[in-house]
Amino acid sequence: MTKVQTAVAADPNKVVVFDTTLRDGEQAPGFSMNPDDKVRMAHVLAAMNVDVIEAGFAAASPGDEEGVRRVVGEVEGPVFCSLARSSEADIDAAYRALRGTEERRLHIFLGTSPIHRSAKLKMSKAEVLAAAERSVAYARTRFEDVEFSPEDAIRTEPEFLAEVCEAAAAAGATTLNIPDTVGYSTPGEIAEIYRRLIATVRVRHPNVVFSAHCHNDLGMAVANSLAAVEAGARQVEGAINGIGERAGNASIEEMVMAIRTRSDRYGLHTGVDATHLVRASRLLSEITHTPVVRNKAIVGLNAFAHEAGIHQHGMMADPSTYEIMRPQDVGFEGTWFVLGKHSGRHAVAKRAEALGQPVAGAHLAAAFAGFKARADEIGEINDHELLAIIEASRPDAAPRQEYAYAAAG
């Protein structure tokens, strides 16, 4: 058995994390990475302890093959993978790129849905089935670890999908990935697909690992991946910050923290060191020159920030009132309160005290009134603004019109 198969057999509650930031994520418009970028990103992914890094699509270009080769040669730890079409030339290119490591996997994909067979491949069911068998068998002459993906699996006829998966497993595939290539599925639907396939294929191939690779076209990539896991999949595929084709892939950070935070429901775990999630997110943002939106789950700037007075009051009493995870668990230094027009008196007083300018009584009332007025004007109040407001509201302060607030920033 492969390294991944052995790990899953030893611990049936382990979910293997397959990161495709450097392949599916990188091939999306605006996210291209050069080999140096890929190596930098791969080092962080390895430190994060992901199980598999899909380092690229070696046959796509000489640069992609070089990128895979560089990652394999300069990073240690995970299993390294290259994507390939179901052709000997692609498989050979992947093997050349991955020769520098013993921990290597080939990931073959082949369209199986009616639209892919007719419009893209111009192949019959029989021809697709034969190509799947032939390519997996050839891949096994070079790789012990072979993953097979029936592309557009969710829109493939259920009986034919099962037939193709059976054929790939019989030819030597060790992982069967059932990709929602176009983000079409729903959680209930995808769970039923996995339950049916697992029950069918595992009769003859008990050690095959089933994987979920979901796209986010309808905003359900993470939900669909988790539904697949509940149905028996033991590998999830995704990308940091959810980058990828069109609307992106399932977000690695969201899947990892959902499995961890809701262990009461799933009863599962990953081997990921989540304290590197923010670091990975920020490095990817830097490399791709793409900011992470403030309200992005897990790693966004607002994920552990609080402005509303009711929330801030609750957080000061007990952080679990409004936070289901500790910010330190994903790599933030801690919770922070954003002072703005929704903030309450308690938060303003607490921040003033932290800045060495405690306020109480009439002074607090005056400072809070000034704070609210200024927040209505400019939104977020930083420390410079708050100190200026506190100073201007002192009983012995100069008349307000003569005082210039500190510039924001």
Side-chain angles (χ1 to χ4, degrees):
M1 290 197 296
T2 67
K3 179 180 178 180
V4 166
Q5 286 178 305
T6 300
V8 171
D11 183 358
N13 294 324
K14 175 182 170 62
V15 177
V16 174
V17 174
F18 177 112
D19 186 279
T20 187
T21 305
L22 307 184
R23 199 277 301 171
D24 197 331
E26 186 263 349
Q27 72 187 35
F31 293 108
S32 293
M33 303 178 208
N34 62 41
D36 288 338
D37 294 332
K38 286 195 171 190
V39 170
R40 290 172 65 201
M41 196 68 213
H43 275 299
V44 176
L45 295 172
M48 202 167 81
N49 204 33
V50 301
D51 300 282
V52 183
I53 292 178
E54 189 168 45
F57 185 175
S61 71
D64 230 37
E65 183 173 336
E66 175 62 17
V68 175
R69 187 180 296 110
R70 285 276 309 277
V71 168
V72 167
E74 299 178 38
V75 183
E76 295 181 354
V79 173
F80 294 98
C81 177
S82 173
L83 188 69
R85 289 163 295 199
S86 58
S87 74
E88 292 187 5
D90 274 28
I91 294 167
D92 290 343
Y95 180 69
R96 288 194 305 270
L98 291 166
R99 273 186 301 187
T101 178
E102 293 300 314
E103 300 295 348
R104 56 179 174 257
R105 171 184 292 191
L106 182 72
H107 181 189
I108 300 173
F109 73 98
L110 177 64
T112 56
S113 68
I115 186 66
H116 278 240
R117 295 194 310 263
S118 63
K120 187 177 75 170
L121 300 176
K122 313 294 185 186
M123 293 169 67
S124 67
K125 284 184 178 180
E127 289 171 323
V128 167
L129 194 63
E133 292 174 321
R134 183 173 59 251
S135 60
V136 172
Y138 181 74
R140 282 303 305 265
T141 66
R142 284 159 168 70
F143 295 87
E144 179 188 7
D145 190 345
V146 175
E147 176 172 334
F148 177 77
S149 289
E151 188 182 12
D152 203 20
I154 304 304
R155 296 192 295 173
T156 300
E157 305 91 330
E159 298 77 13
F160 184 56
L161 180 60
E163 188 178 4
V164 172
C165 287
E166 281 265 21
T174 53
T175 295
L176 291 176
N177 180 42
I178 313 302
D180 186 8
T181 304
V182 293
Y184 182 73
S185 195
T186 64
E189 178 184 34
I190 205 166
E192 181 55 34
I193 290 170
Y194 274 86
R195 279 192 287 267
R196 186 169 56 245
L197 284 174
I198 290 170
T200 300
V201 175
R202 286 242 175 96
V203 173
R204 297 181 183 82
H205 310 284
N207 295 317
V208 166
V209 175
F210 278 82
S211 179
H213 179 116
C214 298
H215 280 263
N216 206 40
D217 297 71
L218 293 176
M220 291 188 279
V222 171
N224 285 336
S225 299
L226 294 173
V229 165
E230 284 194 283
R234 284 299 176 267
Q235 177 175 287
V236 290
E237 305 188 6
I240 298 298
N241 294 343
I243 69 170
E245 292 281 10
R246 302 178 313 281
N249 286 282
S251 164
I252 288 285
E253 57 272 16
E254 293 174 25
M255 292 190 291
V256 166
M257 293 310 294
I259 290 169
R260 174 174 171 166
T261 304
R262 294 308 309 274
S263 60
D264 60 318
R265 177 179 178 88
Y266 298 114
L268 303 169
H269 62 91
T270 72
V272 169
D273 181 351
T275 62
H276 291 281
L277 289 172
V278 170
R279 175 187 171 203
S281 172
R282 290 181 175 176
L283 176 60
L284 182 62
S285 178
E286 174 193 326
I287 287 172
T288 60
H289 308 289
T290 304
V292 177
V293 295
R294 289 183 68 124
N295 66 327
K296 171 71 172 69
I298 314 301
V299 295
L301 190 61
N302 284 359
F304 297 93
H306 305 269
E307 179 181 336
I310 294 172
H311 285 220
Q312 291 175 340
H313 193 192
M315 286 293 297
M316 285 187 278
D318 184 338
S320 65
T321 54
Y322 289 105
E323 288 184 352
I324 59 172
M325 299 166 279
R326 294 191 329 133
Q328 295 87 349
D329 292 341
V330 300
F332 282 116
E333 292 182 3
T335 296
W336 63 92
F337 290 169
V338 175
L339 295 183
K341 66 179 183 179
H342 301 108
S343 298
R345 189 181 303 248
H346 291 286
V348 172
K350 188 175 181 67
R351 187 59 189 162
E353 184 177 2
L355 293 172
Q357 296 290 332
V359 289
H363 187 192
L364 174 58
F368 188 60
F371 164 84
K372 284 287 191 177
R374 187 63 171 151
D376 274 336
E377 292 175 4
I378 66 171
E380 188 172 324
I381 300 295
N382 64 22
D383 289 347
H384 293 296
E385 286 282 352
L386 183 59
L387 289 172
I389 291 166
I390 291 170
E391 182 62 28
S393 60
R394 293 187 186 282
D396 57 350
R400 201 173 189 83
Q401 65 270 21
E402 296 177 14
Y403 185 84
Y405 281 113

